Amino acid sequence: MKNVLLLVHDDDGQEARLQAALDLTRALDGHLSCVDVSLYPAFAGDYYYGGGGAAGMLLADERQRESKNKTQVSARLANEGLAWDWTDVTGNFFEAVVDAARLADVVVVNRELERYPYPDMHGVASRILTHVRVPVLAVSSEQRGLKLNRALVAFDGQASSAATMRACVPILRLAEAVEILMVRDGAEQVEPSEAAAYLSRHGIHAEVKIVDDGLQPADRYIMEESDNFRADYIVMGAYSHGRLMETFGGVTKRMLRNAHIPLLLGH
């Protein structure tokens, strides 16, 4: 895992994304690829009428803001002591990130922006998750820096969570402590003990915790255990159909809205 893809845009969540991506790239001794997106305006007017119209002027303003943002962020990256590259895109976050992720190992986005409804980063993160085949690191816009010492793996024994855990081995290997959490529903295809054995062959020695009480929503178990374990981040499969993730992604969506620590998600 060497290629870290960062969504760049001058919004409320940029500092959180940037700090997390820098910390992750350093920890992996990797390469940071920045895709800077100038958003098409959310405007229903006629772009062409009257020499471009209001939408054209809004797009010009957006590109000017992102040009200034590029100057500032590039100057910062030049002093960070790591390898990086930059791509400018005009369009929308979803398509830009999915296109750029073809040769990425992990993607860094916000799980949502707490204070601003636009851009809808929760919706962006959800759509990206369903279209890329690499882990997505989703952070709060309040996040500052990324700790990788203690990892909670939310494991439901389904293909999505198993594949996500495997893909995140290079990150999990950096942890001082790893716990695998399973909430049983009888549909498990892989036992948590098997997951722990797999990780052990990669030098990762994980504890296992199994919960049989199905009275609470699964995301509540995950958040409670992340507090108890003092996890720095959570690894979990997204939009699968096991008990832990819930059909139609209810748990995934609530975690994207409510998690107070970074999420490493895979689909």
Side-chain angles (χ1 to χ4, degrees):
M1 184 179 277
K2 293 291 184 181
N3 298 289
V4 179
L5 178 63
L6 170 65
L7 169 62
V8 178
H9 183 262
D10 186 13
D11 57 58
D12 186 51
Q14 177 171 262
E15 182 61 24
R17 296 192 302 273
L18 179 57
Q19 286 283 359
L22 288 171
D23 289 344
L24 183 59
T25 304
R26 284 199 187 90
L28 295 170
D29 190 24
H31 181 101
L32 180 62
S33 292
C34 304
V35 55
D36 186 359
V37 183
S38 295
L39 288 174
Y40 283 127
F43 185 75
D46 185 349
Y47 179 85
Y48 296 101
Y49 181 75
M57 289 185 286
L58 288 172
L59 180 57
D61 289 344
E62 168 76 0
R63 284 174 169 161
Q64 185 176 22
R65 282 193 300 272
E66 284 309 307
S67 178
K68 293 179 180 178
N69 189 49
K70 178 180 180 178
T71 299
Q72 295 171 351
V73 176
S74 297
R76 180 172 171 182
L77 290 174
N79 295 314
E80 290 291 342
L82 49 78
W84 59 280
D85 63 71
W86 192 284
T87 302
D88 294 305
V89 177
T90 299
N92 63 69
F93 287 161
F94 165 68
E95 291 179 353
V97 170
V98 170
D99 287 346
R102 293 189 180 103
L103 292 176
D105 296 317
V106 59
V107 177
V108 181
V109 297
N110 288 110
R111 59 176 181 77
E112 70 171 352
L113 301 183
E114 275 81 354
R115 290 193 291 270
Y116 296 98
Y118 180 80
D120 176 15
M121 198 63 74
H122 173 265
V124 169
S126 295
R127 291 186 68 195
I128 289 171
L129 266 169
T130 60
H131 285 78
V132 301
R133 291 299 177 262
V134 297
V136 173
L137 176 63
V139 300
S140 162
S141 60
E142 306 300 320
Q143 184 81 24
R144 291 298 180 267
L146 178 67
K147 295 181 179 179
L148 299 170
N149 296 325
R150 301 180 65 84
L152 178 67
V153 179
F155 190 76
D156 66 356
Q158 302 293 320
S160 181
S161 61
T164 302
M165 185 189 73
R166 292 199 315 271
C168 291
V169 160
I171 300 176
L172 291 170
R173 195 182 285 127
L174 302 172
E176 298 173 356
V178 177
E179 180 178 279
I180 299 171
L181 171 68
M182 171 173 275
V183 180
R184 285 204 181 278
D185 70 346
E188 302 84 17
Q189 298 174 353
V190 180
E191 285 295 313
S193 58
E194 296 176 79
Y198 173 85
L199 291 180
S200 71
R201 298 178 193 122
H202 290 273
I204 303 164
H205 303 291
E207 303 174 18
V208 173
K209 181 170 184 178
I210 299 173
V211 177
D212 290 309
D213 178 10
L215 298 178
Q216 297 187 82
D219 50 295
R220 190 172 301 173
Y221 285 116
I222 299 171
M223 292 308 304
E224 287 179 357
E225 188 57 24
S226 71
D227 289 338
N228 294 337
F229 185 64
R230 295 178 288 112
D232 294 318
Y233 65 97
I234 298 168
V235 175
M236 57 186 276
Y239 301 116
S240 68
H241 300 285
R243 160 83 177 103
L244 198 57
M245 296 305 112
E246 290 186 0
T247 303
F248 307 123
V251 168
T252 305
K253 290 178 180 178
R254 290 196 295 273
M255 291 294 290
L256 282 169
R257 291 196 182 280
N258 302 319
H260 56 268
I261 59 176
L263 305 173
L264 259 172
L265 304 163
H267 177 63

